[in-house]
Each structure stands twice: as C-alpha cells, then as structure tokens.
Amino acid sequence: MKRSKVPQSTRAEIMGLFQIHADDLPTLSATALLRFLHKYQMEQAATKETVESLIDRYEIDEAAIESRSMTFEGFLRYMESKDCCLFDQTHTSVYQDMEQPLTSYFISSSHNTYLTGDQLIGKSHLDAYVSALRKGCRCLEIDCWDGPDMEPVVYHGYTLTTKILFKDVIATVAQHAFEVSAYPVILSLENHCCQEQQEVMAHYLISILGDKLLKSPLDHPTTGDLPSPNDLKYKILIKNKKLKSQFKAEDRAEGEESADEGEDGDDEEEEVEEDEEEDEGHQTKAKFWSSRKAGSKKKKKKVKVAQALSDLVIYTRSVKFISFSHSQDSQNCYENTSIAEKKARKLIKASAPDFVQHNQRFLSRIYPAGSRTSSTNYSPQEFWNAGAQIVALNFQSLGLPMDLNDGRFQDNGGCGYVLKPEVLMSRERSFDPSSSQHRLKPTQLLLKVISGSNLPVPKSGKALDPFVRVEIHGIPSDSRCKNTQTVKNNSLSPHWDADMNFSISVPELCLVRFCVRDQTSLFRSEFVGQYTLPFTSLKKGYRWVPLRSRDGCSLDPASLFVLVCYC
C-alpha cells in the first residue's frame, strides 16, 4: 500500500525510533534493524534474510543498499507498509484448518439479504446479493412467495417492500457466489410458495446453478459428521424443510414437514413474542397494516414442501428447536434450527454451557427480532460466544454490529468461514461465556495509542477535536472500552500518547475495535472512522491502524499509530 506524506507527529515518533537504533549514525545497519525487529516488533522469527529482504523492498538509496543498511526514509517506508500493519498479514489468506465439519466454523450470514433498506417499505434489489457475496457472506436468505404467471418472487411478505424474481436472484448468486471465496454458499429459503411454484423454484435451482448445486450427499466426506468447507468447495447448499419420507427408518418419527419455511416455521408453537418474529414479525406488520391486526394469525397457513424442492435439501434440513435435551436425543447432524434473537438470549442466560455443546454438534442460525423494522442489528458477539455458527445480520445497516462482523470475517482470508476456538469445541471441558473465571492467568493487553494521521474532516471543513475509543468485544467479563484524551483542533496529526491496559480471560473470542470520534460538545461526539480485528490477528510492536468509514470502505491515508504488547 502506497502511503501519502506522513504527518509530523507520526514522522517524529518514527524518527525517534530510528535514531535510538542507529546510534546517531545516518543509516541503520542490518544488525541494528534485526535487533529492532526482535525487541520492538516482536518478530522473533526474523533472520538476517528477513532484514535483507526489507532493505531490498524499502530502501532506494544506492549507497545504503550497497552497504546493506537502511536510511531513515527507507525505515519510514517500512514502518508505513503492510509489514507494519496492525492486522497480521498471514491472516489475509486462508490459513486455518478447513477440514473440520461445518459446525466447527463461524459462517458469515445475512438476514433478508434482498433488502437494501428497512423491513416495511424498503427496496429489494439483486445488488444486495452481490454486495453480501463480495463481503464474503456465505449464508444468504431468500423469502419466496407466489408470483404472477407461475414466477416465484422474492420480497418481505405482507409489506410494501418491492419484489424481484426468484430466478433472477438465483442467476445473480450463480454469477457471484465464488468471486471472493471458494467455500460453500448456503441458500436459506423462507418458503411461502404453493407446491406448483416450489417446483418452479426447484427447476431454476437445478437449471441455473448446474454443477454448483449440491444435489446428493458426498460419497466420501473427510469428517464423521457434516462435510467440511473443503469437501464442499464451489458448492451451493439449499437450507429448507425436507419431507420425512426421504429419511431412513431409524431417523426420528415426526409429523409431515409442511410448515412455512424460515425462522417463523421453527417457532410456530412458541409464545406470541417468538412466534411472530419472523414470517416476518407478523405482530409488527399487523401494526403497519392495522386492517389485518386481528387476523394476521388466521391468514398464516402451512405450506407443504414439494418433492422436487425437498430433494435438493442435503445437509441443511431445517427443523424446529424444542430443547437441548430433545436435540441431543433426536436431532441428526444434517438438521439445523433457526432461533430468534430474544429466545437465543434467554437460552444463553438459562443454560449457556448447553448451548455451546449443542453448537458443537448442530448448526444454529440466529436471526433478528421481527420488531427490528428499521433493519437494525443486534451484537453478533453474544451469540458467537455461545458457538452459534450462522449469526444473521442485516448487511445493509451500518454501525457497530456490522463492524464486528466485518472484523470477525476479515480473518482467514475473508473466505466467510472462521474456525471456532478450541474453548467452544472441547468435549472434555464445558464452557460458560457468562462466567468470569476461565483462566488462572488472563492475557494482559497493553496498548499505547500514540498518534493519528490525515483524519477525514467533516464537510464543514472544520478541524476535528479527535479522541480514540478502544473497545474489547468478547465474553461479558472481557468486554470494556477506554478513551484517550481529546486533542483540540487537529485532524492532520493528533498526538495522544495514551496508555491502556486490558485484562482478557478468553482472548481467542475477542474482537478489538479502534474508533476515532470527534468531540463536538461536552457530552456529544461523532463517528470519524474505525477499525475492528480479532485479538488473534493483532501484531505486536509499533503498528499502524488503517481506518475505515461507516460503510466499511478504506479511509486511506487516515490511520492511527500504536504500540501493542500482550502476554
């Protein structure tokens, strides 16, 4: 990454580091540079060959190259390069074990993917699917309804959201599914169509997706449970109800699968609060449509799954969640449940260790409450803490929840699958995210927020009064935030030199978020930029933090300069 001219504050900090290690000489010797890498950058694996490579890449002075040393300008180029980015560059490509069952991964997931705005009058658009896929999303939602001329349509039922054709959605998915990731895409169908139009849906899935569609179980999966992401590379899976007659006799007996598909179908017999959160939040929609307030439940009908569509459900069969004990006794590995955020929160509060164990064996999808008509999001962290894999968010809504999602899934090459930490997968030791006692010796994270560079100014042109908020998002006892002081009237090169100390008991679950804010009054501040990453992707030493806008786009050259140490 090419960096613009470095503001004086950061440049002075880097000059100080250079002079200390150069012993007041005009250049930094290879030996001194190696010592800097070991002592300050904590690059313990660095060797003479590492130093030679850095000199070749960042030094342009011929005399320095000849003497195998580095001038200040070369050192500055190195310190401003991706080699000194806060995010571990080895994590920008897939590096995790991708041979574990699907249940072992967090999976980037979207809720009501077709919407570009709110849940009541927002527009449905194919671009929403393209955008989600390009962000690495691997589980997309499609709400399917009967359309005219036997053409199924996609929209948010019983609302004024616009409609798009099901076949166009599938064609869009086929075109963009594997642009940024080779790993499987799950199409979560909320199916309200009659059997005839379901057959049309099945025809489109088969004819448009072709070989990308998984139509039968794998012959030789490499794992004993669900297949792995590697097993399912370049495959698209259908998540839907499945007719019971297609399962072996030893599978649990149950009524004919014929409920509305989607989150509502899994909660039909729950209390009203849960029952009407998805279909989609009939209770909220009834307020929107006052004329049908009393009759919203009456109009809800069961939809029998067509054989042709049922045949396409292989490893992601949707079933109703009853209880953890029922799942342990009766649920099969290829069956998954969708749980409303409020109910999931109650389950965590009542029996978090059981939820963690449940998610070791089965896929769980969490979805936003139907009352979130403006497409707001919950924090996904609370459900990742319990090991839920498919934590669905409204990708069109900007803010903290999507910052956390983007931070989580920039890991592992941005492929949309991140291996859950061992603490969530151990069968020997139970894990309770609500407990504060997890390790005898917590990890100590020491941060020094030194300075900022080229912070974006508001449209008014007035210089910022910036401060930095550092947030830890993890289990409740680890989650906290700390602020630097405010620097007055300085957008170009604010200097904070603020020390922060965080004690973290489960760092492998944590995300670290740096948020720059403008202090506009005594009790008010406004967003300037942020950057979120997993704790496990933090590089030690002097690092620069690339800031992003509210919509996740790079604000380069805006950045922070920090010192990181943890033990």
Side-chain angles (χ1 to χ4, degrees):
M1 181 183 294
K2 221 173 174 183
R3 311 282 296 159
S4 64
K5 186 176 179 181
V6 185
Q8 189 59 37
S9 176
T10 301
R11 185 182 180 93
E13 293 287 344
I14 297 174
M15 173 63 83
L17 289 172
F18 179 83
Q19 290 174 339
I20 289 171
H21 289 82
D23 294 326
D24 293 326
L25 296 173
T27 61
L28 190 65
S29 69
T31 301
L33 181 55
L34 182 60
R35 187 164 55 246
F36 172 77
L37 294 179
H38 285 164
K39 184 175 180 180
Y40 284 85
Q41 300 299 79
M42 309 297 176
E43 303 277 7
Q44 302 304 329
T47 62
K48 283 187 177 181
E49 288 71 25
T50 307
V51 171
E52 296 280 345
S53 174
L54 293 178
I55 292 172
D56 290 338
R57 278 187 286 157
Y58 300 114
E59 187 53 68
I60 59 174
D61 183 88
E62 290 186 9
I65 294 172
E66 184 71 24
S67 63
R68 307 315 288 159
S69 60
M70 188 175 272
T71 62
F72 170 68
E73 293 300 327
F75 184 71
L76 182 61
R77 278 188 288 272
Y78 159 66
M79 291 295 291
E80 287 283 299
S81 74
K82 283 192 174 181
D83 282 316
C84 286
C85 181
L86 182 68
F87 184 78
D88 189 335
Q89 294 302 291
T90 64
H91 294 186
T92 59
S93 48
V94 175
Y95 69 96
Q96 295 177 346
D97 178 6
M98 303 303 285
E99 298 287 352
Q100 299 301 310
L102 290 179
T103 47
S104 299
Y105 300 85
F106 296 128
I107 303 172
S108 181
S109 307
S110 166
H111 171 255
N112 287 359
T113 313
Y114 49 89
L115 287 177
T116 60
D118 67 43
Q119 307 285 315
L120 296 177
I121 59 173
K123 287 186 178 180
S124 304
H125 205 289
L126 297 175
D127 286 350
Y129 286 94
V130 178
S131 176
L133 287 166
R134 287 179 175 170
K135 283 187 173 183
C137 184
R138 298 286 89 188
C139 182
L140 309 171
E141 186 172 21
I142 308 176
D143 288 13
C144 313
W145 296 81
D146 290 337
D149 304 320
M150 287 297 289
E151 284 288 355
V153 294
V154 175
Y155 84 114
H156 200 189
Y158 307 117
T159 69
L160 293 179
T161 56
T162 58
K163 300 174 182 178
I164 52 180
L165 294 179
F166 177 81
K167 66 179 179 182
D168 291 344
V169 171
I170 301 307
T172 300
V173 171
Q175 182 179 353
H176 299 282
F178 304 109
E179 272 186 16
V180 302
S181 173
Y183 295 102
V185 169
I186 300 170
L187 299 184
S188 180
L189 303 185
E190 185 176 318
N191 174 19
H192 302 269
C193 292
C194 65
Q195 287 206 40
E196 292 77 15
Q197 294 212 20
Q198 287 183 58
E199 290 173 359
V200 175
M201 289 165 55
H203 168 72
Y204 286 142
L205 289 167
I206 294 169
S207 61
I208 296 173
L209 297 180
D211 291 341
K212 296 185 182 80
L213 180 65
L214 185 73
K215 296 186 281 285
S216 60
L218 302 178
D219 291 335
H220 301 290
T222 58
T223 60
D225 300 304
L226 285 177
S228 70
N230 269 350
D231 293 328
L232 295 166
K233 268 187 171 182
Y234 300 107
K235 289 297 181 183
I236 296 174
L237 284 66
I238 305 303
K239 176 182 173 297
N240 193 68
K241 298 285 187 185
K242 191 174 179 75
L243 295 170
K244 71 166 188 175
S245 59
Q246 294 173 269
F247 289 89
K248 297 177 183 178
E250 64 264 23
D251 286 352
R252 81 182 195 278
E254 59 187 350
E256 183 81 3
E257 289 293 338
S258 56
D260 293 65
E261 170 53 26
E263 296 98 13
D264 65 306
D266 295 325
D267 291 320
E268 282 188 336
E269 297 173 12
E270 303 289 342
E271 56 194 287
V272 172
E273 173 190 69
E274 304 289 350
D275 177 36
E276 297 178 346
E277 276 194 313
E278 183 69 48
D279 195 20
E280 173 69 270
H282 274 178
Q283 193 173 38
T284 304
K285 291 180 194 174
K287 294 175 183 177
F288 181 66
W289 296 109
S290 58
S291 61
R292 60 184 302 276
K293 182 172 182 180
S296 63
K297 282 289 285 183
K298 187 185 295 183
K299 290 199 175 190
K300 185 175 179 180
K301 65 174 188 272
K302 290 193 173 183
V303 178
K304 185 174 181 180
V305 180
Q307 186 73 51
L309 188 58
S310 178
D311 288 343
L312 302 181
V313 179
I314 309 302
Y315 294 118
T316 44
R317 177 198 184 202
S318 299
V319 298
K320 178 182 175 181
F321 177 80
I322 297 174
S323 68
F324 294 132
S325 60
H326 180 272
S327 294
Q328 185 174 358
D329 295 338
S330 306
Q331 192 170 334
N332 295 292
C333 69
Y334 49 78
E335 296 173 327
N336 61 82
T337 54
S338 287
I339 306 174
E341 66 168 285
K342 292 179 182 178
K343 181 173 181 179
R345 206 170 280 123
K346 289 176 182 177
L347 290 172
I348 291 172
K349 186 175 181 180
S351 49
D354 292 335
F355 207 170
V356 171
Q357 290 180 349
H358 173 88
N359 291 325
Q360 292 173 356
R361 299 178 59 196
F362 310 111
L363 288 175
S364 292
R365 180 173 181 266
I366 313 298
Y367 60 89
S371 56
R372 293 183 181 272
T373 55
S374 59
S375 297
T376 58
N377 283 313
Y378 49 73
S379 170
Q381 185 66 47
E382 61 181 318
F383 304 114
W384 289 331
N385 288 342
Q389 301 88 351
I390 304 175
V391 181
L393 297 179
N394 294 304
F395 270 45
Q396 73 273 31
S397 297
L398 310 177
L400 175 61
M402 277 305 298
D403 290 346
L404 298 180
N405 199 74
D406 291 345
R408 174 72 66 198
F409 290 105
Q410 74 166 313
D411 195 7
N412 204 30
C415 74
Y417 285 81
V418 171
L419 191 64
K420 294 197 289 186
E422 177 60 27
V423 69
L424 291 175
M425 297 307 299
S426 173
R427 302 285 176 98
E428 285 74 41
R429 292 184 60 188
S430 66
F431 175 72
D432 184 355
S434 60
S435 170
S436 60
Q437 301 297 321
H438 291 285
R439 283 199 175 90
L440 293 176
K441 186 180 179 184
T443 296
Q444 299 300 317
L445 172 62
L446 308 176
L447 283 175
K448 181 189 284 288
V449 180
I450 301 170
S451 60
S453 302
N454 300 294
L455 301 182
V457 296
K459 291 180 180 179
S460 66
K462 179 183 177 295
L464 303 175
D465 292 343
F467 68 92
V468 180
R469 176 174 296 157
V470 179
E471 305 163 2
I472 305 297
H473 297 267
I475 64 170
S477 61
D478 286 342
S479 300
R480 63 202 63 202
C481 69
K482 296 183 179 181
N483 296 342
T484 67
Q485 74 277 20
T486 298
V487 173
K488 294 288 186 181
N489 200 35
N490 193 334
S491 304
L492 183 64
S493 57
H495 188 269
W496 296 284
D497 207 32
D499 292 312
M500 300 179 181
N501 182 14
F502 298 93
S503 182
I504 303 174
S505 60
V506 190
E508 56 267 48
L509 269 173
C510 281
L511 295 168
V512 183
R513 182 173 185 256
F514 295 81
C515 186
V516 181
R517 301 190 67 85
D518 178 22
Q519 192 78 54
T520 55
S521 66
L522 186 60
F523 300 110
R524 181 182 172 85
S525 64
E526 294 182 356
F527 176 89
V528 175
Q530 68 85 33
Y531 186 71
T532 306
L533 76 167
F535 179 94
T536 52
S537 295
L538 279 175
K539 290 283 283 184
K540 294 179 179 179
Y542 287 94
R543 304 290 168 181
W544 61 273
V545 182
L547 293 177
R548 292 182 177 176
S549 63
R550 195 179 294 279
D551 60 2
C553 295
S554 171
L555 289 173
D556 187 57
S559 64
L560 302 175
F561 189 52
V562 300
L563 174 61
V564 180
C565 181
Y566 53 85
C567 56

